[in-house]
Amino acid sequence: MEKEIYDYDFRNPPRLTKDNLISLKTIYEGFSKKTGAWLSNRSGEEVTIETEDSLQTDYSSFIAKYPYPTILGLISQAPLTSLSIIWLKPSLAFYLIDKFLGGKGESIEIDREITSVEREILKKVLDELISFLKQAWARVCEIDFKLEDIATNPLSLKAISPNEIILKTGFKIKIKEREENFSLCLPFISIEPYLDRLTTKPKEEKKTKEMTSTTIGLISLSVVALLGKTKLTIKEVLNLSCGDVLKLPTRVSDGVVLCVGGKERFIATPGISGGNMAVQIKKVLKEEKNE
């Protein structure tokens, strides 16, 4: 059986695990369902949205694919400082504008800048889409996605550094017999703090691990302060009586060995605390052995 061969970019190694990607797709499929239902209701036509897998690339490669003029929405995402981008295919943008103004939404190819009136309509459309994006991400973390501006010239857009790693997620919109596209660009640094939450593992499994950890933490262990060790013959032990003194090989300055669960773990200094005999830990023997 032949092994499958994959391309590997050593300059841009994968940052997400397979589990992270599956979780991301689940988030965006929820976003697609809400967006499709809203567009169907507003346009009066059946709209379905297919979510593609998220792809890792650099920002310059992402933005270079879009000619001028196009539709790019700049999205802030508090508490994160970076910006995200939503791209609409111009034909989709003009279709939505036409439908929202009461038109038939016929296929029209327009190669020009949008007017101020069209810009305001697109802002309302993108505001709705971004609200669905916020709801979809709420299962992972609270991010306040908000539309900041709409740009039409990709080359003049300096929202993200050219070499910054981004995650591009594409969406195919089917409206009757026509197919349109839009995509989301999320900087990797935006979701990096939440990678541990992007998982498909059931919550029950996490809860079991937490309960196990808590239970283990409640287990009692004996702690013994060992002053020193010496060897005696059986005859010497039998002859011991009150007041006898045993010589130990250790010095006072050596401290005492603290045994936990029958194993030597710490070096401590004996003393008094609150009228009780006590020891103060000075060294961890386990770390010394590892070193």
Side-chain angles (χ1 to χ4, degrees), residues 35 38-39 42 86 88 92-93 96-97 100 118-132 147:
T35 302
W38 180 74
L39 289 175
R42 291 301 305 265
I86 182 169
L88 292 185
L92 171 62
L96 294 173
I97 292 170
F100 278 50
E118 292 168 341
R119 181 181 291 269
E120 292 303 314
I121 296 173
L122 280 180
K123 280 185 178 180
K124 293 185 181 299
V125 173
L126 292 177
D127 280 338
E128 288 293 337
L129 267 61
I130 291 170
S131 70
F132 299 141
L147 180 67

Side-chain angles (χ1 to χ4, degrees), residues 204-221:
E204 290 75 13
E205 183 177 338
K206 291 184 178 180
K207 188 176 181 180
T208 301
K209 287 184 178 180
E210 291 174 359
M211 290 178 64
T212 302
S213 178
T214 302
T215 304
I216 292 175
L218 296 175
I219 295 176
S220 298
L221 291 174

Side-chain angles (χ1 to χ4, degrees), residues 66-72 87-90 94 110-114 151-154:
Y66 304 124
Y68 170 81
T70 192
I71 306 298
L72 296 163
W87 167 78
L88 292 185
K89 188 177 179 180
F94 285 113
I110 302 177
D111 185 19
R112 61 166 174 80
E113 284 272 4
I114 56 174
T152 57
N153 187 354

Side-chain angles (χ1 to χ4, degrees), residues 32-70:
S32 296
K33 288 180 181 179
K34 289 182 178 292
T35 302
W38 180 74
L39 289 175
S40 296
N41 183 52
R42 291 301 305 265
S43 66
E45 297 178 336
E46 184 179 355
V47 178
T48 58
I49 302 179
E50 179 183 336
T51 307
E52 298 177 348
D53 292 332
S54 298
L55 300 176
Q56 178 181 310
T57 184
D58 56 84
Y59 177 70
S60 59
S61 299
F62 164 79
I63 204 68
K65 294 180 179 179
Y66 304 124
Y68 170 81
T70 192

